[in-house]
Amino acid sequence: MRLRQLCATLALATPLLAGDAGGAPAASALRVEASKVVSNYTFSMLHAHFTLSSGQVARVFSGQTCVGFCFQGTGSLDYVSQLATEATVMKSNIAHNGGVPPAEGKDGLHTGANFQKAMFWFGGREIAPFTGTDGTQMDGTLQSLRARFDSISTSGLTASLSYDSNNRPLPYVQADLDGSTPFIYELDPYHSRFESLYLLSHANMQDTLLKDRFNPVTISQQPVGWDLHQPVLGEYMLRAVALDLTQTAPLQGVLKVKETIQPLGGPLKSIRMNLNRDHWGHDGAGLILHHETVTKVADREGHALPFTQDAGEITIELPAPAAANSKVELAFDIEGDFLVPPTNGNYWQLGTSAWFPQPDLNGQMYTWDATIRVKKPWLAFSCGDTVRRWEDGDYNAVETRSDVPIAFGVMLAGDYSIERETRDGLTVEVATYGSKAQFSKALLDMTFPIIKYYQAFLGPYPYKEFHILEKNEWGYGQAPASIMFITKEAFNQTNGLINQYLAEGVRGRFVHEIAHQWWGCVVKMPSHQEQWITESFAEASASLCLQDWPQGHAKSEYVKLLSHWKSEAAYATDRGTIPTCNYNYNPDDSRENFLVRTGLLYNKGAWLLYCIRKEIGDQEFFTFLKSYQTNFKWKFGSTKDVAGLLSFMTKKDWNPWFEKNYWGTGMPEVKE
Ligand SMILES: [Zn+2]
């Protein structure tokens, strides 16, 4: 199951919304065997122990394959988390969303679920026929379970159920547990490599399209066969992406994508990729669901390959298993009404979500070549440097390229006008709605010295161009490769206020977003548990830039930033840990959700780096950041490597300090 967090480097915490139809086999395609009565029937997965106290069970078949069994009666789950870093958020998410209050046991923190109906899906494992007394027919039980759980984004369930069990000791398991509080348990030992427990909270949405949906809340997510401290790579790496997008009508796009994939472990028989089929729009009256549909997948020679697409994934079957480190080339034909402008917006964005087929973060390291055609007078933008802009009949076209590996490939198109300037071989572009030349000029003047400042200790800026793109929304920034999305308040001040405004308001966000070209782009994060590698390190670098800013008032901004980090971190630190900052969810308090996540990810992480700086000294701290960038250039960073570098530099073991303050809820004081 793919319960997708909104990305990462970039977006603010937003409640997860379930996808449209799930990836499970349709209820109509399933066959329920005659049922048998059970009592005190128990079975266990890694950290989950199920008891079916009384009731009846029936195996469920898809074609000739048994895909699991359904249950009706009185059942319970005892689940234990042995992952200390998630204990705090596990307790608070249960307290805020219902469920069995956690209890400390000898082996960890126990919680669970009580249920009256359940569907246990198994992939790669035979289920022996049940024996005993006959029960009653259970078609209705299965149908009601599918009706309840099918709206959850069970992407990838079909792919997981067809997993080849050869040489694989663990099965794939998903349990849909229906009681007063519904839960989903998942054991996914080979794809996500997590064992997870999710509580299904009502999405609390008024819109008719959403009102019956659930919001999956992470209760626990334990690594299977690896250590969270030591991030693992995915089944394969995405090494190259070449896209060609033509907007054929409003909303409508034709997208051709060529990808090069490198399997990492054993031979790959099928390739699972994230791809959001559903794109939400709004027509002013209500939400509208738009679709992005794959019409063909082909191999290098153009031969069509079988594939299945569901709400959040596409799975491609290869004609023969691809060996580790071989190159697999795939071509996707995609079409649909997925170029969705926001309400009243005269632009669309294909942003940091999975809008083209892509692996999880730990498989994203790809070169990029994007060609986009949009109807005049719109202009389009994408990652890397501009190869060319040209006119093609009714279209404005652009091709951009990055020869260094990126993640989070994006596109944006709209009714923009561009201001640009080149200094010392670097071109900065500012793209705005209409003419806002005075703001563009001020932003250009600010950008060049910031990039120059960072280059001095973070290494060369990787591109010839930097693109500052206005977003017609409020209050955030995002920073994919060579790009900064910045919202319209950066451009909406009256003339007389520009200097004051740029001095106090936008500059802090600007220096943070530009730092992402190094923290996030050059050094990448392998997982959401390591997201501080992008956010906290960008924040720490931004503070250095503010401190060294030539005009005096940036220094007061710097001082304010330090006390902001400390107070926000102190608020958030006993509500979770930095690696679990994305789990926190209180349905009644979106402000708290925001404060806890940003308090941990941006403020506490930056505060930890400030404490390190005060302990080792400014000069050593610059050397530390520079060495980290040098050692992990175009690689994934990790907290373990951060601690390793610090230990090497200072001849002191930093691991206990990170255990306490990063993986734990510790809050260190500064050594002045
Ligand atoms: Zn950021």
Side-chain angles (χ1 to χ4, degrees):
M1 181 170 55
R2 194 57 49 86
L3 301 172
R4 302 178 54 77
Q5 286 284 357
L6 273 187
C7 163
T9 327
L10 317 158
L12 301 176
T14 303
L16 297 169
L17 287 177
D20 181 27
S28 58
L30 296 171
R31 179 171 57 83
V32 184
E33 206 176 47
S35 76
K36 298 287 180 187
V37 170
V38 287
S39 82
N40 290 324
Y41 179 81
T42 63
F43 56 99
S44 295
M45 303 303 148
L46 292 184
H47 294 96
H49 184 72
F50 293 93
T51 301
L52 310 183
S53 303
S54 64
Q56 55 183 27
V57 290
R59 293 196 301 172
V60 176
F61 287 77
S62 174
Q64 296 306 306
T65 310
C66 176
V67 292
F69 65 93
C70 63
F71 165 77
Q72 178 156 20
T74 302
S76 61
L77 161 67
D78 176 34
Y79 179 92
V80 59
S81 167
Q82 297 180 316
L83 195 61
T85 193
E86 69 180 16
T88 308
V89 72
M90 183 170 160
K91 289 175 194 166
S92 70
N93 276 355
I94 288 172
H96 289 138
N97 296 280
V100 177
E104 300 284 353
K106 278 190 195 138
D107 54 347
L109 189 60
H110 285 251
T111 181
N114 297 309
F115 50 88
Q116 286 76 52
K117 291 176 192 168
M119 177 66 210
F120 297 94
W121 305 93
F122 284 84
R125 183 63 46 101
E126 285 290 313
I127 307 292
F130 293 102
T131 54
T133 315
D134 289 344
T136 56
Q137 189 55 37
M138 290 183 70
D139 297 84
T141 306
L142 180 67
Q143 275 170 18
S144 81
L145 281 163
R146 294 317 303 144
R148 193 142 161 89
F149 286 85
D150 207 31
S151 71
I152 311 299
S153 183
T154 51
S155 298
L157 179 58
T158 308
S160 300
L161 291 176
S162 61
Y163 249 136
D164 186 354
S165 59
N166 284 341
N167 303 319
R168 292 184 146 171
L170 289 170
Y172 171 87
V173 182
Q174 179 179 314
D176 302 340
L177 308 173
D178 198 5
S180 58
T181 306
F183 284 84
I184 293 179
Y185 164 83
E186 186 189 47
L187 174 62
D188 184 5
Y190 307 111
H191 190 64
S192 77
R193 302 181 67 181
F194 277 110
E195 183 185 27
S196 311
L197 184 65
Y198 303 98
L199 182 156
L200 305 184
S201 177
H202 272 289
N204 215 4
M205 295 281 175
Q206 298 305 312
D207 194 282
T208 49
L209 265 177
L210 295 176
K211 71 176 170 43
D212 294 327
R213 287 166 188 266
F214 289 114
N215 194 7
V217 179
T218 304
I219 299 300
S220 169
Q221 195 157 62
Q222 303 189 77
V224 179
W226 59 287
D227 181 347
L228 211 56
H229 291 58
Q230 180 86 56
V232 285
L233 296 177
E235 290 177 305
Y236 60 87
M237 298 296 287
L238 178 56
R239 292 296 190 193
V241 177
L243 309 94
D244 188 302
L245 174 72
T246 301
Q247 177 157 21
T248 52
L251 296 167
Q252 296 288 334
V254 173
L255 175 62
K256 294 181 182 298
V257 188
K258 288 188 175 167
E259 300 191 347
T260 305
I261 282 159
Q262 179 192 13
L264 292 183
L268 263 192
K269 207 163 143 264
S270 60
I271 295 177
R272 286 173 67 173
M273 311 191 88
N274 302 322
L275 178 64
N276 291 344
R277 186 193 55 203
D278 304 336
H279 295 251
W280 294 94
H282 203 287
D283 66 355
L287 287 169
I288 296 179
L289 193 51
H290 301 278
H291 293 296
E292 181 175 350
T293 306
V294 178
T295 56
K296 183 183 177 186
V297 183
D299 65 10
R300 183 187 171 145
E301 286 78 35
H303 302 128
L305 299 175
F307 68 93
T308 53
Q309 183 186 9
D310 65 29
E313 280 197 9
I314 180 167
T315 304
I316 302 105
E317 301 300 330
L318 299 178
N325 294 317
S326 62
K327 270 190 182 168
V328 180
E329 290 180 31
L330 298 173
F332 300 84
D333 289 353
I334 299 173
E335 58 186 45
D337 55 351
F338 56 92
L339 304 176
V340 184
T343 319
N344 306 323
N346 52 352
Y347 74 92
W348 51 255
Q349 174 185 274
L350 296 171
T352 53
S353 61
W355 59 270
F356 65 94
Q358 56 189 257
D360 290 339
L361 287 175
N362 59 0
Q364 294 192 33
M365 194 69 79
Y366 46 85
T367 58
W368 183 256
D369 191 302
T371 299
I372 313 163
R373 287 175 199 79
V374 288
K375 285 268 166 67
K376 293 174 182 173
W378 280 28
L379 294 170
F381 304 87
S382 189
C383 296
D385 289 327
T386 307
V387 179
R388 57 179 181 144
R389 276 192 185 280
W390 74 102
E391 295 184 23
D392 184 357
D394 290 344
Y395 292 96
N396 279 329
V398 66
E399 180 184 0
T400 73
R401 182 180 297 162
S402 172
D403 293 326
V404 289
I406 69 167
F408 300 119
V410 299
M411 289 181 177
L412 173 78
D415 193 7
Y416 285 96
S417 57
I418 301 176
E419 300 279 330
R420 69 164 69 81
E421 194 178 322
T422 302
R423 297 184 196 171
D424 298 331
L426 173 66
T427 300
V428 178
E429 278 188 352
V430 182
T432 59
Y433 297 107
S435 179
K436 293 167 183 161
Q438 75 277 28
F439 293 103
S440 300
K441 182 73 176 80
L443 295 177
L444 285 171
D445 284 342
M446 192 162 65
T447 303
F448 285 105
I450 296 172
I451 290 180
K452 195 172 174 193
Y453 177 83
Y454 285 143
Q455 292 198 96
F457 66 104
L458 296 178
Y461 172 72
Y463 296 103
K464 295 192 189 76
E465 295 177 354
F466 184 65
H467 310 270
I468 299 167
L469 309 178
E470 180 184 11
K471 289 292 299 291
N472 192 22
E473 294 166 34
W474 296 106
Y476 73 93
Q478 288 188 325
S482 88
I483 287 174
M484 176 199 300
F485 293 128
I486 190 96
T487 43
K488 60 188 176 183
E489 65 271 24
F491 305 91
N492 271 15
Q493 303 301 307
T494 57
N495 234 337
L497 283 173
I498 291 178
N499 287 337
Q500 183 195 342
Y501 180 70
L502 289 182
E504 291 178 2
V506 167
R507 182 169 50 204
R509 188 155 352 125
F510 237 68
V511 291
H512 173 102
E513 298 303 337
I514 292 176
H516 274 314
Q517 295 304 319
W518 288 268
W519 303 113
C521 294
V522 176
V523 176
K524 299 189 198 318
M525 62 181 199
S527 67
H528 288 101
Q529 287 83 9
E530 298 280 0
Q531 195 173 354
W532 86 307
I533 296 288
T534 71
E535 296 305 346
S536 308
F537 280 74
E539 193 69 1
S541 302
S543 75
L544 295 170
C545 186
L546 290 177
Q547 188 186 21
D548 289 341
W549 201 273
Q551 294 144 15
H553 42 65
K555 296 216 169 33
S556 67
E557 206 177 329
Y558 164 75
V559 172
K560 261 193 259 174
L561 187 63
L562 295 186
S563 71
H564 175 76
W565 287 348
K566 190 177 183 187
S567 62
E568 296 299 298
Y571 169 80
T573 193
D574 56 3
R575 288 168 167 79
T577 58
I578 300 174
T580 62
C581 66
N582 290 303
Y583 299 177
N584 174 76
Y585 182 67
N586 178 348
D588 304 317
D589 197 341
S590 57
R591 182 178 150 78
E592 179 182 289
N593 296 337
F594 173 81
L595 287 177
V596 172
R597 179 174 181 271
T598 55
L600 292 167
L601 182 58
Y602 294 77
N603 301 311
K604 184 179 171 185
W607 178 252
L608 295 191
L609 292 173
Y610 181 68
C611 292
I612 292 167
R613 178 183 158 196
K614 286 288 142 186
E615 169 134 355
I616 69 177
D618 282 7
Q619 214 43 53
E620 281 289 277
F621 189 70
F622 274 104
T623 305
F624 157 65
L625 295 180
K626 185 174 190 166
S627 304
Y628 199 81
Q629 277 289 331
T630 306
N631 291 344
F632 292 92
K633 189 173 185 173
W634 313 122
K635 292 180 184 157
F636 295 112
S638 74
T639 309
K640 186 171 190 282
D641 294 326
V642 168
L645 177 60
L646 277 173
S647 302
F648 174 77
M649 285 178 63
T650 62
K651 311 282 178 274
K652 165 193 151 177
D653 182 6
W654 280 82
N655 287 295
W657 189 88
F658 278 96
E659 205 54 49
K660 182 176 170 194
N661 299 309
Y662 180 81
W663 299 100
T665 56
M667 178 69 191
E669 282 298 323
V670 164
K671 289 190 183 165
E672 293 291 354

